[in-house]
Amino acid sequence: MRKLTMSVAAILLLATACQKHDSNQTEPEEIASEIGERKCASHEILQQQIAQDPERATRMQEIENFTERYLQTARNNSTSAATLTIPVVVHVVYNTSAQNISTAQVQSQIAVLNEDFNMTNADNSLVPSHFAGVKASVNINFVLDTIIRVATKKRSFGTNEDIKRSSRGGSDPVDPSNYLNMWSGNLSNGLLGYAQFPGGPAATDGVVILYNAFGSKAKNPSGTYTPNYDLGRTATHEVGHWMNLRHIWGDATCGNDFCGDTPVHNTSNGGCPPADHRSTCSGTPLEMWMNYMDYTYDRCMYMFTTNQSQRMNAVFAAGGPRNSFAN
Ligand SMILES: [Zn+2]
């Protein structure tokens, strides 16, 4: 039944994508307004890829099987994975000078990733005591390699991947098997960002972030930021997907995020919920809305869990889909 539901959803998404397909046309100018709830299109894009290429689903299942075996071994072996360093290429695709974010703003984003993935973020101390036992470092470092600046005639980009194509007003990725490619640009429809899960096409591999949600106002106050999404957590969330993390609610009512140490959530949380906010799913657990893989404001997300850390490290392990980064 679940499979059937997924297929229907995938067809609907594909139909929507087809209606919107007119990628050469300049999209209407985005009116700058405050963004409401976090919007991330990673799951929808995965469903589109599966609808267009049934082998994508097979590859995702193979990656999931591999990850499950890795987690089994990790449970029986207390030693954590060695720290990995990921070189990053940032594509700044801009139509206005405000969108041409500064090098300092880009660097502030790299600094946030390094803190969040190594649990050195100051707000990690806010993790409530009932989750203190499962909060975890991922032990992954990020190093800025190159910034590529591309002036574009496009006023905004949707999820059709034009931002990743030089021929469509975007910027082609650089060697995705050895670099994490991050695109900063103006995104339409209030979208904050999206990532490609492991196992997808090289031509579109990486993460895309709205230019004024890229970087941290706390580290680089002179940059360009949008309220509530101004601490660089959109990139933390999207890089989490790029390393195979699912949304904490499993993109379904009381869904599965393949992590045993995250509580079951009804759906996404927005804003900054109260600490005692409970799920109405089985067992009515306290929800982990402060997890980077929820939809809360940047200032209200500050942890990954042990299982999430293991899933991300599995991606880079021998036999994992991004093992090329470890060599
Ligand atoms: Zn997401």
Side-chain angles (χ1 to χ4, degrees):
M1 183 58 201
R2 188 158 171 239
K3 209 171 176 183
L4 181 68
T5 315
M6 289 268 288
S7 308
V8 171
I11 290 162
L12 283 172
L13 275 165
L14 182 63
T16 314
C18 290
Q19 282 166 13
K20 284 181 181 167
H21 185 76
D22 193 2
S23 51
N24 281 323
Q25 214 169 51
T26 304
E27 291 175 42
E29 186 166 13
E30 189 71 2
I31 298 159
S33 59
E34 193 167 315
I35 288 173
E37 184 161 319
R38 182 177 295 281
K39 253 167 82 180
C40 154
S42 304
H43 182 73
E44 285 70 18
I45 286 172
L46 176 63
Q47 296 310 311
Q48 281 175 24
Q49 289 182 347
I50 287 170
Q52 287 158 8
D53 172 17
E55 279 183 24
R56 183 75 172 101
T58 310
R59 276 200 300 280
M60 279 307 276
Q61 191 55 53
E62 284 167 1
I63 292 168
E64 202 48 51
N65 296 344
F66 171 82
T67 304
E68 231 165 82
R69 289 198 299 274
Y70 180 93
L71 260 71
Q72 284 284 344
T73 312
R75 265 195 285 275
N76 300 330
N77 183 353
S78 58
T79 57
S80 53
T83 302
L84 185 74
T85 299
I86 308 274
V88 183
V89 174
V90 176
H91 306 257
V92 176
V93 182
Y94 64 96
N95 177 257
T96 65
S97 58
Q99 292 163 15
N100 190 14
I101 60 169
S102 69
T103 298
Q105 188 165 345
V106 171
Q107 283 164 336
S108 75
Q109 181 60 73
I110 303 296
V112 169
L113 290 175
N114 280 320
E115 289 179 358
D116 291 352
F117 282 77
N118 291 283
M119 217 168 69
T120 56
N121 52 305
D123 52 0
N124 179 258
S125 63
L126 300 175
V127 172
S129 56
H130 48 271
F131 292 136
V134 296
K135 71 179 185 180
S137 167
V138 190
N139 293 320
I140 290 178
N141 291 326
F142 300 84
V143 173
L144 179 62
D145 186 274
T146 317
I147 300 177
I148 298 171
R149 295 183 185 276
V150 173
T152 183
K153 287 183 178 153
K154 286 208 155 186
R155 288 174 173 169
S156 68
F157 292 89
T159 52
N160 60 8
E161 308 288 29
D162 283 0
I163 197 167
K164 301 173 182 172
R165 295 184 174 108
S166 299
S167 59
R168 302 276 183 93
S171 179
D172 292 334
V174 174
D175 187 10
S177 53
N178 288 298
Y179 295 92
L180 161 59
N181 283 264
M182 298 179 74
W183 286 264
S184 163
N186 193 27
L187 306 181
S188 46
N189 301 321
L191 192 64
L192 280 169
Y194 63 94
Q196 181 168 287
F197 283 90
T204 48
D205 197 42
V207 306
V208 179
I209 314 280
L210 175 68
Y211 74 98
N212 52 6
F214 198 107
S216 167
K217 192 176 185 176
K219 296 183 186 301
N220 174 56
S222 62
T224 309
Y225 303 97
T226 189
N228 301 317
Y229 304 105
D230 51 6
L231 296 175
R233 259 64 193 261
T234 298
T236 302
H237 175 107
E238 298 307 338
V239 173
H241 285 310
W242 184 78
M243 296 184 187
N244 206 25
L245 291 192
R246 300 302 180 109
H247 286 138
I248 197 160
W249 68 99
D251 295 286
T253 305
C254 304
N256 183 7
D257 68 348
F258 306 112
C259 289
D261 58 3
T262 56
V264 183
H265 284 216
N266 294 79
T267 183
S268 61
N269 288 296
C272 295
D276 62 355
H277 170 64
R278 284 183 182 275
S279 161
T280 61
C281 306
S282 176
T284 64
L286 286 163
E287 291 201 351
M288 196 187 276
W289 50 259
M290 69 296 299
N291 192 285
Y292 297 122
M293 301 316 289
D294 207 333
Y295 265 8
T296 38
Y297 288 160
D298 278 19
R299 64 179 177 278
C300 293
M301 47 168 65
Y302 30 79
M303 70 175 288
F304 285 123
T305 69
T306 302
N307 280 175
Q308 287 178 324
S309 169
Q310 289 164 338
R311 279 184 70 81
M312 290 190 268
N313 276 285
V315 165
F316 302 101
R322 297 196 190 281
N323 178 241
S324 53
F325 282 86
N327 298 320

